[in-house]
Amino acid sequence: MKETWRWYGKFDKISLQEISQTGAKGIVTALHEIPYGEIWNVDQISLLKERIQTPRLGLTWEVVESLPIHEDIKMGEGHLKELFSNYRQSLENLASVGVTTVCYNFMPVLDWTRTHLKAEVLGGGTALRFSAAHMAAFEIVMLSREEAKNEYDPEAVNKGLRWISQASEEEKDILLISIMAGLPGKFKRYNIDELKNAIALYDGINKEQLRKNYGRFLNEVIPTAEKCNIKMCVHPDDPPRDILGLPRIVSSEEDIDWVLNHHSSKSNGLTLCSGSLGAGPSNDVVKIAKRFAEKIFFAHLRNVRKENDGSFEEAAHLSGDTNMPKLISVLLAEERRRIASGLGPLEIPFRPDHGHELLSDSEKKTHPGYPLIGRLRGLAELRGIIHAINNVQQNDV
C-alpha cells in the first residue's frame, strides 16, 4: 500500500517539506482554485505536478481529490453537454501528465458534514463530531424544516430543541460554520438563506432521480476515463444518511453495488472510506471491503465511534468501531491477488484520513480534520499495522 497525504496546495498551512518528513510518498490534491465545472488545463496541472515532484522531497502526485461534479449534473439540468465535455477534457488533461486516480463524490449541496470541529478528546486535543441532536436542531429551527422532526432519532430531536432554545446567536453561527467546513473546494460558504436556496433547487429530486442523474454521469465520463487509463473512485456519503431533506445514494453496501454495476468498466471504482461507511449503523466496513476489493483503487483510513442516536465522533485511527487490522488485511490480500494475476493497479494508495488536533496542531490553523501531528500519528499507526501484517505473512511463507 502506498502512503499518501492530502494537501490543499496554496490554501494549505502544511508545507510539502513537512509532508515529506512524515514519510508519506504520494500527494493527494486538486486544483482547488478552479470553479466547479471549468476545465483543468494542462499547464495548470503540470505546474502543480512540478511543484510537488521536486526531487529533494521524494513525493509523487497520481491521485486527484477531488475533480468536483457541478451541482447541475447532480440535478440533471442546465448546460449539461458543456459540463460533461469539460469534465472529460479535464480527465484527458490529467492523464496526459500522469495522474491515474480520481476521487470524487455525488453528495448534493454539502460534502462531509460535522456539527463540531473541536470536540474535546481524552487527554487533550480535539476531534470532529457529528451530533444528531445539533443537526436536527439546525434543520428544524435554523432551516425551518419541520419535517426533519421525523428524520432523526426522537431523543436527538428533543435534546437538540432544548439546546437551541437556549443557544446564543454566536453558538448558532458556530454551528453553521462547522456544517459548512466540509467544503474545502468552495469559494464561498453558504449563509442560512443561501443554504435554503441551494436545497430548494433539489425540490422533486428523490433517490431514484438522483440515481438516474448519477447514472448519466457515469455513462458520460467513464468511457473517457477507461480510454485514458484513469480509475474513477467514488467516495461514500459522509455521513451515510439523508440530511437537509436531500437524498444520499452512496451510503451502503447496496448503494455501492448499484454504482459499480451500473457501468461495468474497469475504471469504475470505489474510494474505500472506512470512516464514512463506518458511521452507518448497518455498515460492516470489513465485509464491504471484501466484497468490492477488486474495485477499491484508493482508500481513506480513519475510524469513528458511533452512538445510539445516530451521532458519531472521529476516533483515533486504531480505537474506533472498525477493526483496522482486519480491514488493512483485506486490502493487502487484494494487492497480493493483483500481483499474482498480473493485473493493475497493483498498489492501493491510502491516506490517513482526518485526525485529532494534538499538541501544537491548533496553532497552525489547518483545514478542519487535517492537522499535521494528528494525521502523522494516524499514519504512523497505520504504517505499523501494515508492516506487522506483511512481516507475519512473509514469515508464514
Side-chain angles (χ1 to χ4, degrees):
M1 296 175 68
K2 182 173 182 176
E3 299 176 7
T4 67
W5 187 278
R6 190 170 191 182
W7 180 62
Y8 290 102
K10 66 181 182 181
F11 303 110
D12 209 317
K13 301 294 180 63
I14 299 171
S15 70
L16 289 171
Q17 185 173 355
E18 289 172 311
I19 295 171
S20 179
Q21 291 176 42
T22 70
K25 300 302 181 185
I27 291 294
V28 174
T29 192
L31 298 179
H32 293 291
E33 65 273 20
I34 298 181
Y36 291 11
E38 294 188 8
I39 294 173
W40 292 13
N41 70 51
V42 174
D43 289 342
Q44 292 168 307
I45 299 168
S46 297
L47 284 173
L48 181 56
K49 186 159 189 176
E50 288 171 9
R51 182 181 176 190
I52 292 168
Q53 297 195 172
T54 303
R56 66 184 179 84
L57 297 177
L59 298 169
T60 61
W61 178 36
E62 292 107 19
V63 181
V64 161
E65 185 180 347
S66 296
L67 181 56
I69 299 172
H70 196 279
E71 290 297 313
D72 284 355
I73 292 176
K74 298 174 189 177
M75 292 185 288
E77 60 184 35
H79 301 290
L80 296 182
K81 185 175 181 180
E82 178 184 357
L83 290 172
F84 286 129
S85 176
N86 288 355
Y87 204 98
R88 290 191 293 264
Q89 186 62 58
S90 294
L91 287 177
E92 291 177 358
N93 293 346
L94 286 165
S96 73
V97 297
V99 171
T100 59
T101 306
V102 171
C103 174
Y104 70 99
N105 73 71
F106 212 81
M107 290 181 264
V109 181
L110 296 184
D111 204 305
W112 62 263
T113 304
R114 301 292 184 272
T115 58
H116 297 73
L117 303 181
K118 292 184 178 291
E120 292 186 6
V121 297
L122 184 66
T126 62
L128 300 179
R129 175 175 173 77
F130 179 89
S131 162
H134 285 76
M135 194 69 195
F138 177 78
E139 294 199 38
I140 296 165
V141 177
M142 295 176 68
L143 294 183
S144 304
R145 290 193 65 250
E146 281 291 317
E147 57 269 37
K149 288 181 178 178
N150 301 317
E151 298 168 3
Y152 288 88
D153 179 87
E155 184 178 339
V157 170
N158 292 333
K159 183 179 178 181
L161 292 178
R162 287 196 301 271
W163 171 80
I164 205 164
S165 68
Q166 303 173 27
S168 66
E169 290 304 311
E170 181 183 7
E171 289 173 319
K172 294 175 186 177
D173 288 343
I174 291 172
L175 178 58
L176 174 62
I177 290 169
S178 299
I179 291 171
M180 290 295 104
L183 295 171
K186 290 281 189 182
F187 290 87
K188 185 177 185 297
R189 272 33 176 179
Y190 300 117
N191 60 33
I192 290 295
D193 287 337
E194 290 168 339
L195 183 55
K196 286 181 178 179
N197 291 336
I199 294 169
L201 294 174
Y202 279 85
D203 283 350
I205 298 179
N206 57 19
K207 181 173 183 176
E208 181 180 357
Q209 184 60 47
L210 191 62
R211 267 191 174 179
K212 181 179 178 182
N213 297 341
Y214 184 19
R216 179 175 178 182
F217 168 79
L218 293 173
N219 292 339
E220 291 277 357
V221 306
I222 291 296
T224 297
E226 183 169 353
K227 179 187 71 174
C228 296
N229 200 29
I230 280 184
K231 304 299 182 185
M232 296 289 293
C233 308
V234 66
H235 186 286
D237 303 324
D238 187 6
R241 54 157 296 159
D242 295 354
I243 59 171
L244 308 176
L246 302 172
R248 294 271 176 116
I249 58 171
V250 193
S251 294
S252 65
E253 181 176 347
E254 185 271 334
D255 289 340
I256 294 169
D257 182 65
W258 180 90
V259 173
L260 298 181
N261 282 298
H262 180 84
H263 203 296
S264 60
S265 168
K266 62 182 181 182
S267 289
N268 184 24
L270 173 67
T271 295
L272 181 78
C273 182
S274 56
S276 297
L277 291 169
S282 62
N283 287 338
D284 183 330
V285 181
V286 175
K287 178 174 177 285
I288 289 172
K290 286 180 179 177
R291 179 175 177 184
F292 302 113
E294 291 184 20
K295 285 298 192 81
I296 296 172
F297 302 129
F298 183 36
H300 292 176
L301 299 182
R302 62 180 172 89
N303 230 322
V304 298
R305 187 173 291 107
K306 297 183 290 293
E307 299 167 23
N308 291 333
D309 68 351
S311 303
F312 60 89
E313 188 166 298
E314 305 274 5
H317 285 73
L318 303 186
S319 64
D321 294 340
T322 295
N323 186 320
M324 197 60 70
K326 282 188 176 181
L327 180 61
I328 290 174
S329 293
V330 172
L331 299 178
L332 290 173
E334 172 58 19
E335 284 190 338
R336 293 195 302 274
R337 185 198 68 81
R338 294 177 188 182
I339 292 170
S341 62
L343 301 174
L346 303 181
E347 194 172 37
I348 298 172
F350 79 94
R351 65 175 179 84
D353 195 15
H354 295 179
H356 292 172
E357 278 197 346
L358 304 174
L359 304 173
S360 61
D361 272 335
S362 60
E363 300 170 10
K364 213 168 181 75
K365 301 187 185 305
T366 58
H367 287 77
Y370 292 92
L372 176 59
I373 298 171
R375 280 190 290 167
L376 175 56
R377 173 187 170 180
L379 178 58
E381 292 175 339
L382 297 170
R383 179 185 294 146
I385 294 294
I386 291 168
H387 279 259
I389 293 172
N390 281 334
N391 186 61
V392 168
Q393 290 168 344
Q394 289 171 1
N395 289 337
D396 286 345
V397 173

